[in-house]
Amino acid sequence: MSTLEWASISTPVGPVSVGYADAGVAQARFGQPPGGPPAAAEGSPAAAAARQLAEYFCGQRKEFDLPLDWSGFGPAQRQVLRLLYDDVRYGQTVTYGTLAARAGLEVAGDVIPARAVGQIMGSNPIPVIVPCHRVVASDGLGGFSGGAGPEVKRWLLILEGSLPPTLDWTPAQPPRN
């Protein structure tokens, strides 16, 4: 993977950073980028990706129009996360077990279990853009490894309309031009 150019935004769930490689978005993370504040130039691909994230966080964007760099993904991770990215739209959710069955991956002759899909979601290097927050447990919300954990997942699902808002929920403010 090439060196990443980073850009960050402020969101109601804390800072979110995006790392852009030659082939496209390679990483997104809750918090600042590795090594400190980003240095993306205005108009750069990383800044454009950060702008799309800002639009998403204020409810103005439902789909990302960004090239993704899938080169850092293992085969099973790539298969499951691409299926998620391609098939589970804004405002939809899917259970870990359903995603495992749709992916059709096999481990020791059996369809990959929901737990393995959960591990793949937890290792997703491009959260939010590749929407691992839309994968839920069959009996509730399930886990989330980004930011403050399940509360960030809950906030994202409220934003998308998958869950009803809580009394203290507020969306992000639109980005300034």
Side-chain angles (χ1 to χ4, degrees):
M1 186 184 318
S2 63
T3 302
L4 300 182
E5 177 186 37
W6 287 92
S8 290
I9 60 168
S10 294
T11 76
V13 296
V16 173
S17 302
V18 60
Y20 205 94
D22 292 338
V25 175
Q27 290 186 32
R29 63 186 302 155
F30 292 90
Q32 293 295 330
E42 186 65 33
S44 70
R51 180 131 187 108
Q52 286 195 26
L53 278 166
E55 292 167 356
Y56 167 83
F57 274 96
C58 27
Q60 297 176 330
R61 176 171 292 277
K62 295 185 178 180
E63 289 184 23
F64 293 97
D65 181 22
L66 298 165
L68 301 180
D69 182 353
W70 296 98
S71 66
F73 294 72
Q77 185 187 37
R78 183 180 307 124
Q79 181 176 350
V80 172
L81 290 172
R82 280 193 98 141
L83 177 67
L84 171 66
Y85 180 78
D86 291 339
D87 289 358
V88 184
R89 309 279 32 115
Y90 187 96
Q92 297 177 334
T93 59
V94 64
T95 65
Y96 295 101
T98 299
L99 187 58
R102 282 187 196 170
L105 296 178
E106 294 187 9
V107 174
D110 296 323
V111 172
I112 190 169
R115 246 180 239 273
V117 168
Q119 291 172 340
I120 289 170
M121 295 303 112
S123 68
N124 177 10
I126 313 175
V128 180
I129 297 169
V130 178
C132 53
H133 61 279
R134 295 180 188 156
V135 184
V136 298
S138 60
D139 62 352
L141 195 59
F144 192 68
S145 59
E151 286 309 308
V152 171
K153 183 176 190 170
R154 183 181 315 281
W155 191 95
L156 295 169
L157 292 175
I158 290 170
L159 172 70
E160 294 186 6
S162 297
L163 291 175
T166 57
L167 293 175
D168 61 348
W169 188 86
T170 55
Q173 296 300 309
R176 295 181 195 162
N177 290 328

